[in-house]
Amino acid sequence: MGRIFRPYPTLSLAPAAAAGGNLSLSDHRRAASPRNILLRRLNKVGRTLMGGLGNNLFGAVNSSVETVTRPSHCDAICQQIRTFIQMRTNLKVVDNSGAKRVMCIQSLRGKKGARLGDTIIGSVKEAQPRGKVKKGDVVYGVVVRAAMKRGRNDGSEIQFDDNAIVLVNNKGELIGTRVFGPVPHELRKKKHLKILALAEHIV
């Protein structure tokens, strides 16, 4: 059977234009057709779904970033220097013996490590060209500054910015003749009176 096409009745657009209208009757019919209505609804649903998916992805990325976050290298170093002085801890030498930096080999205090006033055994890693101590020498040292907090009897705490030692021989005698920087008065309890006498400042 053949199909019968009935054209829509033609309407004049003059009254609509005179009334300020911009759309013709055919435009209204096309906009109100079931196909266009379905397309608009599908577009709206799609935008809603894409918005929710984007929010979920953004939240997942944020959670994964928070989970993967690790402490920085600087934080790890700061945490390391604020513990006991143990094996492989680098210490600054604050006397005129010729050594500049010493790495701890063994702490003579105990298993945990050394603190203020304790004696350690270390290896010289940096030294001045013409000094009493050469690079690679195994030396003894007294810890005169520590980055780890130490409490006092009056309730206060003492803490330094670095770990520092003064080199001594196997008899406990100083190798250098000067001590640079401040030292704590807790060294008096450890019988290191010579270090206190040569120190620039006692805290």
Side-chain angles (χ1 to χ4, degrees), residues 6 26 38 40 45 61 84 109 111 133 137 140 144 192-193 199-200:
R6 294 180 179 176
S26 59
L38 181 60
R40 286 199 300 271
V45 173
V61 170
F84 287 95
R109 180 180 184 274
K111 294 182 179 180
V133 180
D137 292 350
Y140 291 85
V144 296
H192 299 302
L193 302 180
E200 296 178 349

Side-chain angles (χ1 to χ4, degrees), residues 19-196:
N22 296 324
L23 297 177
S24 64
L25 180 59
S26 59
D27 294 332
H28 283 290
R29 287 178 175 175
R30 283 196 298 269
S33 63
R35 180 174 178 274
N36 292 335
I37 293 175
L38 181 60
L39 288 177
R40 286 199 300 271
R41 290 182 179 178
L42 289 177
N43 289 335
K44 187 175 181 180
V45 173
R47 287 195 299 268
T48 304
L49 291 176
M50 290 301 295
L53 181 61
N55 293 333
N56 292 334
L57 290 176
F58 185 74
V61 170
N62 286 340
S63 61
S64 63
V65 169
E66 293 176 358
T67 304
V68 176
T69 302
R70 294 289 184 272
S72 63
H73 184 63
C74 181
D75 295 338
I77 294 176
C78 294
Q79 184 67 22
Q80 179 183 4
I81 67 174
R82 278 162 173 74
T83 58
F84 287 95
I85 297 174
Q86 301 172 349
M87 183 183 296
R88 302 185 66 85
T89 300
N90 290 314
L91 302 100
K92 181 180 179 181
V93 181
V94 291
D95 59 14
N96 59 348
S97 60
K100 299 173 64 177
R101 182 172 62 90
V102 170
M103 186 182 71
C104 178
I105 297 176
Q106 181 183 358
S107 171
L108 301 181
R109 180 180 184 274
K111 294 182 179 180
K112 287 186 177 181
R115 299 182 67 177
L116 285 174
D118 296 332
T119 304
I120 66 170
I121 301 175
S123 174
V124 179
K125 294 300 181 182
E126 294 183 13
Q128 297 178 357
R130 293 178 296 274
K132 299 179 182 180
V133 180
K134 306 298 182 182
K135 182 179 179 180
D137 292 350
V138 178
V139 295
Y140 291 85
V142 177
V143 180
V144 296
R145 291 203 294 267
M148 183 178 179
K149 291 183 180 180
R150 177 170 180 150
R152 289 181 168 176
N153 296 332
D154 58 357
S156 61
E157 293 180 342
I158 182 171
Q159 181 183 15
F160 294 93
D161 294 334
D162 57 356
N163 297 317
I165 62 170
V166 173
L167 298 187
V168 296
N169 55 21
N170 53 2
K171 297 181 180 180
E173 300 174 350
L174 293 177
I175 297 178
T177 57
R178 296 182 62 186
V179 177
F180 306 106
V183 297
H185 66 75
E186 280 81 2
L187 298 178
R188 192 181 306 274
K189 298 179 181 179
K190 300 286 185 176
K191 308 299 182 181
H192 299 302
L193 302 180
K194 184 67 174 179
I195 297 177
L196 292 174

